[in-house]
Every structure is written in structure tokens, then in C-alpha cells.
Amino acid sequence: MTKKHSIIAAAIVTLALIVAISYWQLRQFADSPLAIGQETLFTLPAGTGRVALEAKLEQDNIIKPAIWFGALLKMEPELAKFKAGTYRLEKGMTVRQMLALLASGKEAQFPLRFVEGTRLQEWLAALRAAPYIKHTLTDDQFTTLAQALKLEKTDQLEGWFYPDTYLYTANTTDVALLKRAQQKMATLVDDIWQSKAADLPYKTPNELVTMASIIEKETAVNDERSKVASVFINRLRLGMRLQTDPTVIYGMGEKYNGNLTRKDLETPSEYNTYIISGLPPGPIAMPGKASLDAAAHPLKTNYLYFVADGKGGHTFTTNLASHNRAVQAYRQVLKEKNEQ
């Protein structure tokens, strides 16, 4: 072999060695863990290119500065198809796994829990406090929300959002989340209304939802819901007033301070069922499915009264004398608890 050929061969070997080392280093970079010690949310703005992405990742201390980022995207072009959004980066995730996630478009999802028995005002407050929500409602007035949801009347709001845990991605609007809950409730109520028991004293689905909301506020015990429904249905059929405290409390609004007095029960309001006959004008909270089912399929009983038993449930009775004894028993339980 001539000297010239030897030099060329050495150069080829050297070049091959450099390529091999570079490829190995590139693979090492791709498989290296991110520079994060805990779960991290990373937001990739729309229109971000390769150079800007690398700069942002370094600026946010997600990857360490290296010369291999651009080369990796060129060698594996499927990783370069990243999409804007907010992503959840896990501890131990590699650079390649992160880029694959950004290319997948599988954004981080955030849970928002709307609880049974809470009011629309509480839902709106929860929305305002939730992270990564895009707020479009100018205020919490029912008229504003009705317009945003394109509803004709504000009486289609309270009680008409299904309580559940909703998952959303960053920049989901408050109205979009409420619309999901409202549509889910409307569909459920329609199904339940179509299959409800015969001869119930409801003229409209809104009356059924109103009854369900009262049941929701009166008991959290699933086995009792249909019994509570039977009490109120029996009272409606006999022309007796419902006399349920939660309706009075709802009608008091911000005046309610946690204590319900006799004066409160005697103060007129359109929701005070100690004074008005029949159902109040609308729901007083967001009922869950169990309460809606109970309102549509009440147990057939002769119960006209119920009172807390001091043990987490209620005592149901058919006449005033028995009810008064149950009330005394409840007061005795409370007295004994206070003396302990």
C-alpha cells in the first residue's frame, strides 16, 4: 500500500470513528433523562420552531445545553412535528420521550370536580380558581351565563349542570366546561323524564330537577333518597307544605349565616316552603343521578315526616305524634353527644 493510500485509509477510519462516536453521543443525549426532579408542566406556544423550542427547554431547565438537539430532530424527523400545548413531563422521562410526547399532541389534562348538592355560584367560583382555564365570562351573573350558553331563560341554570369530575386541557374556556356539564344534565334529565313513574305531581322536567335538588340537600344516604322523595310526593298529593329547611336557606341567599331561626322560617320568600304551597320556583342545588332517579321513582310509602336520627341517617314516620317522638329522640342523642 502506498503512503497516499495509507493516509486515505487512516482518514476514512478516523472519519468512521468520529461518526460512530457522534452517533453514540447523539443516542446518549436522546436517551438521557430530562433535567427535572419532579413532574413539570411545560407550555409550548404556537408557532415555536426547532431553535426556539431548544432555547425554551434550556431556559426552563428541562434539558441541559448540548449540541445534539438539532441533530436529533434531523435524524428522527418524526420527533420534529411537535404541537403547541401544555404537556405533563414526568421525572425520569428521556429527551426522546419528551419530544415524542410533544409530537403526539397529548396535552396534560386537569381535573375539575363539581360536587353534588352545590350551587351554581359555587361552581363559578371553582372555575375561577381552577388552573389553566381561559376565563371568558365577564361576571358571575346568571344573565351573563345564560347569554354565553345561548339559553333563553336564567331558570335553566341552577340545578341544570351535571355534577361530575371533568377533565380539560390548558386554555379550555369556562363556558366550554359549563356547556359540557349542562348538555350532560339535559340528556340525563330527558332520559329520566321519559322513564319516570306514572302519576307523579310534576308538570315539567324542571319540577323533577327541583325535587331532586331538595332530595340531594336533605340526605347523602343513597338508601334514603327514595324514602325522602316519597315524603315530599305524599305531601304534594295531600296539599301539605313541604316544609324543608334547604329551600328556606336557598331563598335567604347571602343572609344565611349557618344558623336557621324560627324567624327565618316565618319570613316570606318564593323559596320558603314553610309558607308557599307546592314546589319552589326552581332547583336549589345541582342534584346527582341518584337523587334524580329517586325523584322520578319514589318509594311507595305512607311517610309524611322525617327527622335526623343523630347517627347519619333519618327516622321516617307517618303521623305527627310519631314524628314528635322522633324529634325528641334526636334531641336526646344530641344532648348525650354534647355531654361526652
Side-chain angles (χ1 to χ4, degrees):
M1 181 181 291
T2 64
K3 184 177 181 180
K4 179 179 180 181
H5 287 158
S6 297
I7 293 173
I8 293 174
I12 292 174
V13 171
T14 301
L15 180 60
L17 184 61
I18 291 173
V19 170
I21 293 174
S22 297
Y23 179 73
W24 178 82
Q25 289 178 320
L26 179 61
R27 293 295 299 270
Q28 286 291 103
F29 170 74
D31 294 333
S32 65
L34 301 178
I36 56 175
Q38 59 185 5
E39 180 183 282
T40 302
L41 292 172
F42 173 70
T43 299
L44 179 62
T48 303
R50 298 183 184 185
V51 175
L53 172 59
E54 181 179 10
K56 181 167 178 55
L57 288 170
E58 291 181 4
Q59 179 183 344
D60 292 355
N61 297 314
I62 292 173
I63 64 170
K64 297 177 181 179
I67 62 173
W68 305 107
F69 189 83
L72 176 60
L73 293 180
K74 289 181 180 179
M75 181 166 287
E76 301 183 31
E78 67 276 7
L79 299 178
K81 299 176 181 179
F82 36 83
K83 301 174 180 64
T86 296
Y87 297 87
R88 198 181 303 277
L89 307 181
E90 306 288 347
K91 179 183 178 181
M93 180 180 282
T94 67
V95 173
R96 179 185 282 107
Q97 289 172 333
M98 175 200 65
L99 289 170
L101 176 63
L102 300 185
S104 73
K106 294 179 181 177
E107 294 187 63
Q109 291 192 318
F110 305 92
L112 180 57
R113 171 70 172 154
F114 290 135
V115 181
E116 295 92 337
T118 51
R119 302 176 183 178
L120 180 54
Q121 288 291 354
E122 295 171 89
W123 286 37
L124 295 175
L127 272 171
R128 294 207 175 278
Y132 294 97
I133 292 286
K134 184 177 181 181
H135 299 288
T136 60
L137 293 170
T138 55
D139 55 52
D140 291 348
Q141 298 298 315
F142 281 16
T143 51
T144 302
L145 180 55
Q147 290 174 357
L149 293 174
K150 297 181 180 179
L151 300 175
E152 295 180 1
K153 300 178 181 179
T154 57
D155 61 6
Q156 296 173 286
L157 296 174
E158 189 74 87
W160 280 91
F161 296 85
Y162 187 72
D164 202 352
T165 297
Y166 293 88
L167 298 177
Y168 64 93
T169 55
N171 291 316
T172 296
T173 67
D174 43 12
V175 172
L177 269 173
L178 288 170
K179 189 172 291 185
R180 283 169 58 188
Q182 190 263 340
Q183 291 174 344
K184 187 172 182 178
M185 179 63 93
T187 299
L188 177 62
V189 170
D190 183 62
D191 290 342
I192 291 176
W193 178 258
Q194 298 300 326
S195 63
K196 71 182 186 304
D199 301 324
L200 292 177
Y202 309 135
K203 296 179 181 178
T204 65
N206 195 50
E207 291 187 348
L208 184 146
V209 176
T210 299
M211 176 64 81
S213 72
I214 297 173
I215 297 167
E216 191 71 58
K217 297 298 290 185
E218 284 287 7
T219 183
V221 180
N222 277 334
D223 292 343
E224 288 190 348
R225 296 181 197 272
S226 59
K227 288 184 181 179
V228 171
S230 75
V231 170
F232 292 133
I233 292 297
N234 290 340
R235 281 177 164 259
L236 287 175
R237 284 173 172 160
L238 293 173
M240 295 176 65
R241 289 173 179 166
L242 298 185
Q243 295 183 317
T244 168
D245 293 355
T247 61
V248 180
I249 293 170
Y250 185 85
M252 291 174 66
E254 294 182 358
K255 295 178 182 178
Y256 179 64
N257 61 7
N259 296 310
L260 198 62
T261 66
R262 178 171 296 277
K263 181 180 178 182
D264 296 328
L265 300 181
E266 295 172 349
T267 301
S269 88
E270 60 181 347
Y271 283 89
N272 188 340
T273 52
Y274 283 84
I275 294 176
I276 67 168
S277 297
L279 288 164
I284 60 172
M286 306 297 179
K289 185 177 184 301
S291 292
L292 288 164
D293 285 335
H297 301 279
L299 199 64
K300 293 183 179 180
T301 73
N302 293 320
Y303 294 138
L304 292 174
Y305 304 89
F306 65 92
V307 66
D309 59 13
K311 303 174 184 178
H314 294 83
T315 300
F316 294 83
T317 51
T318 60
N319 58 77
L320 185 57
S322 297
H323 174 66
N324 288 336
R325 287 193 293 270
V327 170
Q328 291 301 318
Y330 170 61
R331 289 173 177 168
Q332 182 62 33
V333 170
L334 290 184
K335 181 181 178 182
E336 292 172 356
K337 286 183 177 181
N338 292 331
E339 291 175 350
Q340 291 178 355

